Amino acid sequence: MNIVITGAGGVLCSAFARALAADGHKVALLDLNLDAAEKVAAEIRAAGGDAIAVEANVLDKESLTAAHETVLNTYGKCEVLVNGAGGNNPKGTTTSEYFDKADLLDENARSFFDLDKDGVSFVFNLNFLGTLLTTQAFALDMLETGGSIVNISSMNAYTPLTKIPAYSGAKAAVTNFTQWLAVHFANCNIRVNAIAPGFFATNQNRTLLFNPDGSLTPRSHKIISQTPMGRFGEPEELLGTLRFLIDNDAAGFITGVTIPVDGGFSAYSGV
Ligand code: NAD
């Protein structure tokens, strides 16, 4: 199949691209960071797979239209779209888990009242609007022949994590949009599902999870203690769910679901 993956230069989605190319699919790796996508695409080609890197900004319609043209001219119509580009930003993040008056006076701290409007919009847009706009650019290809879309949600979609209201709200919107779009496209054979990864150590959360010396932060200890399996996930542990969701034989009647892959985090009340 012809598969488009956004955020494919990143940790999780590069693992998706490598695996799907190894399965024999043609994979277009879209990323704002062309160098990162190109590096992964070159590795895939060196291993005998078929992959191209395409520069694309999921927040820019013109950029997405150009990326779509490139994919169409190289591979033909997109049959599977993985909306992986996403992440958080410090400007949409509070310093403290619980409101602390001291943060109001500390110029290095960000209280709820200091959350930056543009920072919050940026995070919300990157995760939610980036998924919607990319789907507009590529799902047109699927209208006649059908297809499959996989969005990337998060544990935050179920219960928000402290400190990151923008990211939590945005991922809740991604899960909600997955259901909405699944219904909307149900009569044209386009299935829309999502994966909600638990905690995987990657670039976007590195500073939240690790101290500069590489040791676990207090937040990491908390996460591990709330994850019944007692560890972070490995990107490869998402691949089975991805392969399942895009396989029409295995998952042909599945649409509108978000599957947690989280070592039990979302099932655990903490008691
Ligand atoms: P990552 O930072 O390694 O990768 C994200 C990629 O997206 C980067 O290559 C970046 O260049 C690209 N990107 C950023 N803005 C873009 C834009 N405007 N247009 C196109 N590409 C853009 O992060 P990751 O952890 O691999 O995250 C992949 C997805 O998984 C994200 O949606 C993230 O929110 C989600 N997720 C990650 C975790 C985790 O534990 N790492 C957990 C839950 C959900």
Side-chain angles (χ1 to χ4, degrees), residues 91-92 115-125 165-166:
K91 290 182 177 172
L115 283 173
D116 180 79
K117 176 176 169 256
D118 294 336
V120 172
S121 303
F122 172 82
V123 174
F124 203 84
N125 288 344

Side-chain angles (χ1 to χ4, degrees), residues 16-89:
F16 294 175
R18 285 189 196 96
L20 296 178
D23 292 347
H25 301 294
K26 295 174 179 168
V27 183
L29 294 93
L30 274 57
D31 206 294
L32 192 57
N33 182 344
L34 180 61
D35 288 346
E38 186 50 58
K39 206 170 150 225
V40 182
E43 271 174 39
I44 291 173
R45 288 192 297 267
D50 198 342
I52 51 163
V54 184
E55 186 170 4
N57 180 355
V58 298
L59 294 173
D60 179 347
K61 280 204 90 154
E62 275 179 30
S63 163
L64 288 167
T65 304
H68 175 245
E69 275 300 304
T70 304
V71 176
L72 199 59
N73 292 336
T74 312
Y75 290 145
K77 290 186 174 181
C78 169
E79 296 166 292
V80 170
L81 169 64
V82 180
N83 281 309
N88 191 28
N89 185 285

Side-chain angles (χ1 to χ4, degrees), residues 128-143:
F128 174 67
L129 201 59
T131 297
L132 187 148
L133 294 178
T134 309
T135 304
Q136 284 181 323
F138 287 94
L140 262 182
D141 284 359
M142 303 175 185
L143 287 180

Side-chain angles (χ1 to χ4, degrees), residues 10-12 31-32 56-58 84 153 167 171 198 200 202 204-205:
V11 179
L12 298 185
D31 206 294
L32 192 57
N57 180 355
V58 298
S153 185
Y167 185 68
K171 288 302 193 185
F200 295 72
T202 63
Q204 60 126 341
N205 59 17

